Amino acid sequence: RIIAAIVAVTAIALIVGCTSQKPEVTEVVVLRDITDRHLVQPNADKILTLFNPRSKWNGRVFHFSDLTNVSYNQGIEVKLEAKNEWLSNELDRDKEIKGFENRLTDILGKNEREPIGQDNSSVYFPMAKELNRLAQSSSAKRILLIYSDLMENTREMSFYDGGKFRLLKTNPNELKSYFDSQVELKNLSGIIIYIIYQPKGIKEDEQFKAISEFYKNLFESKGAEVEIAASIS
């Protein structure tokens, strides 16, 4: 009887293992530029859809950080571990998911109320650091949302300087070499990047087209998939 029971349990385990889909982890990172008062703000409801809500057993990681006038900024992270549906309680899982969603919404809600607007802005350095971190992540799906006009404005590199801005079109390789000297990007294959910005006028629109195209080419050359939009569709 004992042997029969062991065989039965083993058979059930094999069937479950073959028929059930292994849970995966989706990691979403939001970088919000607070150096401009008129930038698009992250929307919690739209961001939550990126985690594929229908797959309740999948893991979820959400990381949030501001882009400011300095290169290093504190981040906030909340996680929901992946679970095996055959070894877990569905009601408990629903509560865990709700807790994750409430925490994410709370993080974005609190940061919406923070004062916005600074004289300088460090954009590339924190973006590159976060992308390199995602490149090392074991998450099955990795997404970076960048809410920014991408206007780098540090002592060494300012796109408000006409000469530096023209390099975006006349000599993008010089800019790439400069940024590589700050932080060299790793292989970004499998990472999806959304650059989100709504220009206020013609001047801002022209600036953003030039800068976003430069970054799109840079990130795609490293294997990432890049989408430029005014909001998450």
Side-chain angles (χ1 to χ4, degrees):
R1 291 182 180 179
I2 294 176
I3 294 175
I6 293 174
V7 171
V9 170
T10 302
I12 293 173
L14 288 172
I15 293 172
V16 170
C18 293
T19 58
S20 62
Q21 187 175 4
K22 184 178 180 180
E24 298 178 339
V25 177
T26 296
E27 186 167 354
V28 176
V29 177
V30 170
L31 295 179
R32 183 193 67 154
D33 193 334
I34 65 169
T35 64
D36 190 319
R37 294 182 179 276
H38 305 286
L39 294 173
V40 175
Q41 297 301 301
N43 181 285
D45 291 335
K46 290 184 177 180
I47 291 172
L48 285 169
T49 64
L50 300 175
F51 290 101
N52 190 7
R54 295 179 182 178
S55 302
K56 68 169 60 182
W57 305 106
N58 285 349
R60 309 175 189 190
V61 179
F62 174 71
H63 186 88
F64 176 88
S65 183
D66 284 326
L67 298 175
T68 70
N69 60 341
V70 297
S71 298
Y72 292 97
N73 300 286
Q74 188 173 6
I76 305 173
E77 187 170 273
V78 56
K79 293 183 179 181
L80 177 67
E81 299 293 336
K83 291 286 184 69
N84 185 314
E85 68 174 298
W86 300 101
L87 302 175
S88 305
N89 181 284
E90 191 165 354
L91 291 178
D92 289 342
R93 185 60 173 178
D94 288 339
K95 291 178 182 178
E96 291 171 353
I97 292 173
K98 189 63 177 177
F100 174 86
E101 293 176 346
N102 288 342
R103 180 66 178 134
L104 184 152
T105 302
D106 185 56
I107 289 170
L108 293 180
K110 285 182 177 179
N111 283 278
E112 277 183 358
R113 296 188 288 272
E114 287 186 353
I116 298 175
Q118 295 177 2
D119 294 331
N120 299 318
S121 54
S122 176
V123 178
Y124 174 79
F125 190 94
M127 280 198 308
K129 284 291 188 182
E130 199 57 52
L131 282 168
N132 284 345
R133 188 190 67 80
L134 277 176
Q136 302 293 327
S137 171
S138 60
S139 297
K141 190 173 182 181
R142 295 160 292 165
I143 302 171
L144 174 63
L145 306 175
I146 305 166
Y147 292 82
S148 175
D149 59 2
L150 305 176
M151 288 293 287
E152 186 83 18
N153 187 24
T154 63
R155 290 181 179 179
E156 298 81 14
M157 177 62 65
S158 175
F159 288 150
Y160 291 99
D161 180 317
K164 297 290 177 59
F165 185 82
R166 281 190 290 273
L167 290 175
L168 289 163
K169 293 185 177 180
T170 62
N171 197 351
N173 286 332
E174 182 177 333
L175 281 179
K176 181 180 179 299
S177 295
Y178 168 76
F179 285 131
D180 278 344
S181 71
Q182 303 299 302
V183 181
E184 186 172 0
L185 291 170
K186 299 181 184 298
N187 186 330
L188 305 180
S189 296
I191 298 177
I192 302 172
I193 302 171
Y194 291 88
I195 300 174
I196 303 166
Y197 177 65
Q198 175 65 64
K200 302 185 293 294
I202 295 176
K203 180 181 179 181
E204 290 81 4
D205 186 51
E206 292 176 348
Q207 289 174 335
F208 182 66
K209 282 181 180 178
I211 304 171
S212 61
E213 188 65 22
F214 168 78
Y215 276 119
K216 186 175 191 293
N217 291 335
L218 176 60
F219 295 152
E220 288 183 340
S221 72
K222 297 294 184 176
E225 178 183 336
V226 181
E227 181 173 337
I228 301 169
S231 65
I232 302 175
S233 57

